[in-house]
Amino acid sequence: MVLLVTSDNEQFQTEKDIVERSVLIKNMLEDVGESDQPIPLPNVSSSVLKKVTQPSTGPTEIDVRGRYLSTASTTVESPSRPPILEQSQDETRKRTTDISEWDQKFITVDQEMLFEIILAANYLDIKSLLCRRWLQDGSQHDQGARPPEEIRKLFNIVNDFTPEEEAQIKKENEWAEDR
Amino acid sequence: MSESQDEVISTPELLELTLSHLPIRDLLLTAPLVCKTWLAITRTPALQRILFFEPDPSPRAACTHNPLLAQNVKDIKSMPWSRVPDAFNRPEASWRRMLVSQPPPQKTLVREIARWRGGVFERRAVVDGPLRMGALYDIILPLVDCRESAFCVRWHRDGDESDITLAAVYANPSLKPRIRVLDDEFYTVPIKLKNDLEFGKWGPCTVF
């Protein structure tokens, strides 16, 4: 067992093999050797650490990439989605079956928590936890990225393209909108 | 906007990592349109590799075919020219720059094979460098458009003399084009076919 101390001074007793998913902690453990000293994690809050270190119910490889973040429902189409972002039946079905129960539980966190997890995961060097959830529609029946306008609105990003520049980018990739 | 959102959005490395988990279609169509910063991030080497625009130098066991091309271009004869011909035919269309696979074939062998006067003959051309879809298209189209022909693509494993072979098989090389198979079906705007390949001389075909 390893003792971790979070930014809000909460102590965690965690299995060694779970915390060793984190490259940072693994290196720290190697540095200190066998020791009862608590490991401080000044960038990680206790609520986030709980998510990051969720034990064995998770996938054996924590590298589930963005996969678990594509939420799945084949029955409801989001009406706001432009037709170009709709996915083929096959793809949708594949994703639906791909998502494990653990994955589904994992994504039931709010937006703010997701950003904290991204930061914590980056700090702890668990790259696989980085996710694209926040680029997607929050609704259950989402299947693709939000349109650019929505992403801008959501994150207060100013559209600094001229209409001509925007049109040029669209022109290059327009072929891929057809399916 | 919350603090952690702000930090993720404004840290290029984090944004790049996050975007790298997007489905390739969203990475191509949506991410570059958000703002200039996002556009710049989709042009980093890591994301250009994910988008099949730059060859991936890291060794890997299996070769991945470009899923966008596989979806949209199931085979050369079913390209959806007739539905969005302008989007496909414009010179800046990004599919032309896309690698056909990751890692891409570095050496492409083009074979023209002809059954002729009781024998089988062939001539060959070799194209070096990572194979992109635009080049592949330019190579294939004149081959399949000119004569009655059958066409096949073969992917190779390590140790073969080329990474990919494109072969056109003609019933008779002296036949003038009888059917221009591609005329109406596959593009609506006539484009000038170019075939800059330097073929060797015709000779007996040993491997068929």
Side-chain angles (χ1 to χ4, degrees), chain A residues 62-129:
Chain A
I62 201 161
D63 185 15
V64 290
R65 299 187 169 267
R67 181 171 68 80
Y68 57 82
L69 299 160
S70 45
T71 57
S73 161
T74 49
T75 48
V76 194
E77 293 291 343
S78 167
S80 61
R81 180 162 317 289
I84 57 158
L85 290 175
E86 280 176 16
Q87 290 179 332
S88 69
Q89 283 283 318
D90 277 350
E91 202 173 330
T92 310
R93 204 172 301 125
K94 189 162 152 272
R95 287 193 173 189
T96 311
T97 50
D98 264 347
I99 297 167
S100 74
E101 202 183 334
W102 183 87
D103 294 343
Q104 284 185 346
K105 275 191 198 140
F106 190 84
I107 60 173
T108 53
V109 293
D110 63 29
Q111 183 118 319
E112 175 56 23
M113 172 73 93
L114 270 160
F115 278 91
E116 281 193 31
I117 290 175
I118 291 174
L119 286 179
N122 186 63
Y123 170 69
L124 297 172
D125 221 344
I126 310 174
K127 296 219 167 117
S128 54
L129 275 176

Side-chain angles (χ1 to χ4, degrees), chain A residues 112 132 152 171 173 176 179, chain B residues 2 21 25 33-34 94:
Chain A
E112 175 56 23
R132 61 187 160 91
R152 285 186 209 123
K171 262 175 92 178
N173 300 324
R179 44 170 80 218
Chain B
S2 75
H21 293 291
R25 184 179 297 276
L33 286 170
V34 172
S94 57

Side-chain angles (χ1 to χ4, degrees), chain B residues 5-53:
Chain B
Q5 269 187 20
D6 200 24
E7 193 167 342
V8 171
I9 297 271
S10 60
T11 310
E13 290 80 2
L14 289 183
L15 192 54
E16 183 193 49
L17 258 160
T18 310
L19 293 182
S20 75
H21 293 291
L22 275 177
I24 182 170
R25 184 179 297 276
D26 296 329
L27 184 59
L28 180 75
L29 292 174
T30 310
L33 286 170
V34 172
C35 64
K36 286 184 176 170
T37 309
W38 284 45
L39 173 67
I41 283 170
T42 64
R43 291 181 175 167
T44 59
L47 294 191
Q48 288 284 298
R49 286 199 280 273
I50 292 177
L51 284 167
F52 287 82
F53 286 133

Side-chain angles (χ1 to χ4, degrees), chain B residues 168-187:
Chain B
V169 185
Y170 307 123
N172 185 336
S174 64
L175 276 181
K176 288 294 169 205
R178 284 205 302 203
I179 330 165
R180 287 182 58 87
V181 276
L182 298 177
D183 259 356
D184 301 321
E185 244 178 293
F186 306 113
Y187 34 74

